[in-house]
Amino acid sequence: MAQQFDMIVIGAGPGGYVAAIRAAQLGLKVVCIERENLGGICLNWGCIPTKAMLRSSEVFHLMHRAKEFGLKAEGIDYDLDAVVKRSRGVAKQLSGGIGHLFKKNKVTTIMGEAKLAGKGKVSVKTDKGEEILEAKNIVLATGARARNLPGLEADGKRVWAYRDALQPPHMPKKLLVIGSGAIGIEFASFYNTLGAETTVVEVMDRILPVEDEEISAFAKKQFTKQKMKIMEKAVVKSLDRKADKVIATIEAGGKAETHEFDTVISAVGIVGNVEGLGLEEAGIKVDRTHVITDEYCRTGVDGIYAIGDIAGAPWLAHKASHEGVMVAELIAGQHPHPVKPESIAGCTYCHPQVASVGLTEAKAKEAGFDIKVGRFPFIGNGKAIALGEPEGMIKTIFDKKTGELLGAHMVGAEVTELIQGYVVGRQLETTEEDLAHTVFPHPTLSEMMHESVLDADGRAIHF
């Protein structure tokens, strides 16, 4: 006889495990099926281990600046194996924590391959065989994986995807990074800081193409200062793989040239994990490897939901988690608000960090808003100077008519933490006037957020 549940979750990434736990808190009988690691890609092979590695490179960078801070440090070096070991240890610790949370909340966990097997049914293959589970509600949370372009496929030797870059078989000396989105730029920043001669190739007309144009330009200037080579409006046409090197043919400005590297990282986007789930047979619509859903993550097939990366952009763990909560509460009979993609912050943990929420200046103009823009540089902030981090800026965009905060964009130290202030502001429908009247503590980096707001009306004090 099939096991009966109120909700079946397929995938234990950020969206899946949060959905399972929240549903259990609401009194539902829940099972979560995972084929690989609790915590999914984010916790095991993405967000968390990359941040651990980037922290190591940040400390390494600061050690080289010891003299600036009146300190002495000699013979500074790194142990790449130890850096990787620490990163894997952090991921393992947190993955184990998910298992503890499942036990605490009485969520049943099954490690295996899941597939839809008819209305309200899921077939699961495990080491012990195959079994059928039944539930009125099924949540697809299978995530995504790295996109492989023909001819640029990762091989784990000289051409890497993100998993290879997290467990590198060697330290790159001359590195090519294909793609300048968050994943590409973070790995470029990490390896460049450790001494790799790094080239980033971006097909669009600027790096970090989803960010505000002004922020992209500022970030590019900083990367160039760090001796990173940036190639925009360029395409890697082919990779000729040798035992100890890769010869890349790169086309830019209508001209193709060959360049030699010892390592290549391919970071050209992601594709949803939609294969083998029985989606087509269930009548679930898929567009370019992502399940089509409404604002409540409903697939259009009764009782089946899709959350997180499999359900499309923005491909962010925090978006997936909140969709998990929303869906669990919806299934439990509550009345949650839909997640608003335009109020979800994007964060990139390169050096300097980049963070944003809402509309860019260009998008705000395209949408027909009459806007006011405020800016404030890190060089005008006492805390930034004390930290030795004077390079950066904060930019805010307001609707001139209503004072609505349309967007906020940052580049510089710790902006991935600062951005949440503006996220809260958007959630609470805070206006320019509200922010201008808010008292920010001194000395903090957050004061620049205030000054940027004031600058929209020409009232910035410290610059």
Side-chain angles (χ1 to χ4, degrees), residues 389-412:
E389 299 287 355
E391 299 289 346
M393 69 172 289
I394 292 179
K395 178 177 180 177
T396 44
I397 302 161
F398 297 95
D399 180 354
K400 191 179 288 187
K401 182 179 179 181
T402 66
E404 178 188 356
L405 175 63
L406 299 174
H409 309 273
M410 308 177 172
V411 56

Side-chain angles (χ1 to χ4, degrees), residues 369-422:
F369 288 102
D370 186 12
I371 63 172
K372 290 195 293 187
V373 179
R375 300 173 181 83
F376 195 82
F378 273 49
I379 193 67
N381 178 261
K383 180 66 178 294
I385 294 171
L387 289 175
E389 299 287 355
E391 299 289 346
M393 69 172 289
I394 292 179
K395 178 177 180 177
T396 44
I397 302 161
F398 297 95
D399 180 354
K400 191 179 288 187
K401 182 179 179 181
T402 66
E404 178 188 356
L405 175 63
L406 299 174
H409 309 273
M410 308 177 172
V411 56
E414 303 304 328
V415 297
T416 57
E417 299 291 340
L418 294 179
I419 194 64
Q420 185 60 18
Y422 287 134

Side-chain angles (χ1 to χ4, degrees), residues 53 80-81 84 156 160 163-172 190-191:
M53 290 177 73
L80 186 59
D81 290 341
V84 172
W160 301 346
R163 287 200 185 207
D164 310 306
L166 284 167
Q167 295 188 119
H170 59 267
M171 173 63 196
F190 171 76
Y191 283 108

